[in-house]
Amino acid sequence: MTTRILYIIPTLDRSGSEKQLTLLATRLPRDEFAPQVCALTRGGPYADELARAGVPVTVLGKRLKADPMAAWKLRQLIRRGRFDIVHTWLFAANSYGRVLARQHGVPIVIASERCADHWKGSLERTIDRWLARHTDRIVVNAQAVARFYESLGIEPGKLVVI
C-alpha cells in the first residue's frame, strides 16, 4: 500500500525550508510513498524541480494573511486527496494545514519548524500552542528550535529533532 503525503508550504522560493521539502519529496521511494506538494502563495524554482521528479504541485494563490479562498481551495485538496499524512512547513502552512487536515480526518499530522521564531507575538504563540494539541509530531532542525517551542508550552514529546 502506498502512503499518500501532502506537503504544505507557503512558497516554493529558493530558501532553506523549501529546499529541504523538495529534497524529501523527490527522494522518497515511490513504491512506498506518493508525495504531493501544495504552495499556499506562489510556486517558484522548486516547483519545476518537483514537477520534473513527478511530484504533483498545487499553487493556491493565497493573497491575504487570512485568505478564505485559499483555505477553501486547501480544504478541497485535502478532502479529495484522502491523504494518510499531511506535513506542514512554516507558520502560515502550519496554521492552515493542520486545522484542515484534522477537520478532514487525516490520520497523521506533522508540522515542521525551522527557526526559533522570536518574531512571534502572543497571538502567534497561542496559535502554535493550540495547533500543537492537534499535531502528532513537530519536526525541528536544531535543539535550540526545540527549546524555543518547549518554552512556548509545547510538550517535549511532540518535538523531534533531525
Side-chain angles (χ1 to χ4, degrees):
M1 185 167 118
T2 303
T3 302
R4 297 178 48 79
I5 304 172
L6 177 63
Y7 295 102
I8 307 170
I9 195 161
T11 74
L12 289 168
D13 292 341
R14 206 167 282 289
S15 289
S17 296
E18 294 81 355
K19 180 179 181 177
Q20 291 172 9
L21 179 149
T22 301
L23 289 170
L24 177 59
T26 58
R27 286 169 172 75
L28 289 171
R30 291 306 165 80
D31 58 331
E32 296 177 51
F33 300 98
Q36 186 170 338
V37 173
C38 175
L40 294 178
T41 305
R42 64 183 173 274
Y46 287 116
D48 295 334
E49 193 171 325
L50 288 159
R52 280 193 304 276
V55 177
V57 175
T58 301
V59 177
L60 300 182
K62 179 170 121 18
R63 296 174 189 252
L64 307 168
K65 198 174 217 177
D67 190 327
M69 182 55 76
W72 183 82
K73 289 176 183 177
L74 183 56
R75 175 179 279 116
Q76 298 306 311
L77 178 64
I78 291 171
R79 188 176 55 79
R80 283 191 317 268
R82 298 181 184 176
F83 296 100
D84 302 298
I85 300 170
V86 166
H87 184 171
T88 63
W89 297 64
L90 309 174
F91 186 73
N94 286 341
S95 298
Y96 279 79
R98 291 192 271 181
V99 169
L100 294 172
R102 283 299 183 210
Q103 284 178 352
H104 290 283
V106 175
I108 300 171
V109 178
I110 301 168
S112 283
E113 294 287 1
R114 295 297 185 242
C115 299
D117 289 323
H118 296 286
W119 63 267
K120 290 180 177 178
S122 61
L123 175 62
E124 291 85 5
R125 291 169 184 235
T126 299
I127 290 169
D128 279 339
R129 282 190 296 276
W130 182 79
L131 288 171
R133 291 194 300 261
H134 306 283
T135 307
D136 295 292
R137 293 288 182 270
I138 301 169
V139 178
V140 299
N141 58 351
Q143 287 294 336
V145 177
R147 283 191 300 274
F148 173 78
Y149 283 96
E150 286 174 20
S151 78
L152 299 185
I154 294 173
E155 60 185 91
K158 291 227 180 214
L159 298 162
V160 177
V161 179
I162 57 166

